[in-house]
Amino acid sequence: MVQIAQVQGFTAIALGLIIGLGALGACIGIGVMGSKFLEAAARQPELVPLLQGRMFLLAGLIDAAFLIGVALAMYFAIANPLLSKLG
């Protein structure tokens, strides 16, 4: 019984780290990308439509990586495969 509680506790800590660090990384990545986009748009305004499309594409990819981490964390929160090994 103690082992199950330990696995659930460590899983909860891991879930917090996955979601928290994933959100932090996505926010920093999108912030840096947005600042570089504004710098490039100020230097060459004629390239704004091309850069804007690429910026939104990359923002979607960055968010997708974060959402994959959230999905993995929810999988471990709901159906933890580690608990079946203790059975």
Side-chain angles (χ1 to χ4, degrees), residues 22-70:
L24 180 69
C27 290
I28 290 172
I30 289 177
V32 169
M33 182 183 58
S35 70
K36 297 297 181 181
F37 167 73
L38 291 176
E39 287 177 11
R43 288 185 183 155
Q44 293 183 328
E46 66 274 4
L47 291 178
V48 168
L50 176 69
L51 294 174
Q52 188 175 18
R54 290 183 180 173
M55 185 193 74
F56 284 128
L57 176 69
L58 288 174
L61 291 174
I62 291 170
D63 278 345
F66 166 65
L67 290 177
I68 289 170
V70 170

Side-chain angles (χ1 to χ4, degrees), residues 1-17 76-77 80 82-83 86:
M1 197 64 156
V2 173
Q3 291 176 341
I4 293 175
Q6 283 181 338
V7 168
Q8 288 176 335
F10 290 143
T11 302
I13 292 170
L15 297 178
L17 287 173
F76 276 102
N80 194 343
L82 301 174
L83 292 177
L86 295 176

